[in-house]
């Protein structure tokens, strides 16, 4: 049984958000996400459901054209195929992200491209 916590896994990167994979199999991926102020996962629409549980900080979760303000204790679920993104506000944001099934490498290309361009909504 994998067991860890936000303090143990905490790592920030000056260039982009940090994703620390806690567990992954063919059905499920569990990641701890660490976002410095303003960092983001660009809007993309993989064929997987995602649950985002905010541990600390504030930010927004985009679902199609709606932005949900989030803070500690909030949980947001976005269905598969729906465009989504996560962005830290004026503080660091730490969140648990659970995707089912894990997105494919090809589905993550828009994420990589958005980060390269510095665009939340490419």
């Amino acid at each position: 049984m994998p067991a860890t916590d936000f303090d143990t896994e905490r790592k920030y990167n000056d260039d982009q958000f940090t994703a620390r994979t806690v567990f992954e199999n063919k059905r499920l991926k569990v990641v701890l996400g660490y976002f410095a102020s303003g960092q983001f996962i660009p809007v993309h629409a993989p064929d997987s459901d995602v649950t985002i549980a905010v541990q600390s900080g504030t930010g927004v979760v985009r679902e199609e054209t709606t932005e949900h303000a989030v803070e500690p204790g909030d949980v947001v679920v976005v269905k598969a195929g729906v465009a989504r993104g996560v962005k830290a506000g004026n503080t660091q944001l730490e969140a648990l992200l659970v995707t089912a099934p894990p997105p494919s490498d090809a589905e993550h290309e828009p994420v990589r491209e958005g980060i390269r361009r510095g665009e939340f909504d490419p």
Side-chain angles (χ1 to χ4, degrees), residues 24-103:
E24 182 174 8
N25 64 22
K26 65 182 181 180
R27 298 175 318 228
L28 178 75
K29 184 174 184 179
V30 179
V31 171
L32 298 180
Y34 299 89
F35 303 78
S37 176
Q39 290 182 339
F40 55 86
I41 297 173
V43 176
H44 63 299
D47 193 24
S48 59
D49 298 318
V50 65
T51 301
I52 302 160
V54 178
Q55 169 72 12
S56 65
T58 60
V60 296
V61 175
R62 168 82 63 82
E63 177 185 17
E64 292 291 355
T65 59
T66 302
E67 289 193 353
H68 303 277
V70 293
E71 61 185 27
D74 287 345
V75 177
V76 178
V77 179
V78 183
K79 293 180 182 180
V82 174
R84 82 284 297 266
V86 179
K87 186 173 184 180
N90 295 328
T91 64
Q92 293 176 331
L93 174 69
E94 296 182 0
L96 173 73
L97 296 95
V98 180
T99 54

Side-chain angles (χ1 to χ4, degrees), residues 46-48 101-109 112:
D47 193 24
S48 59
S104 69
D105 190 55
E107 289 175 310
H108 262 149
E109 183 53 34
R112 290 187 289 275

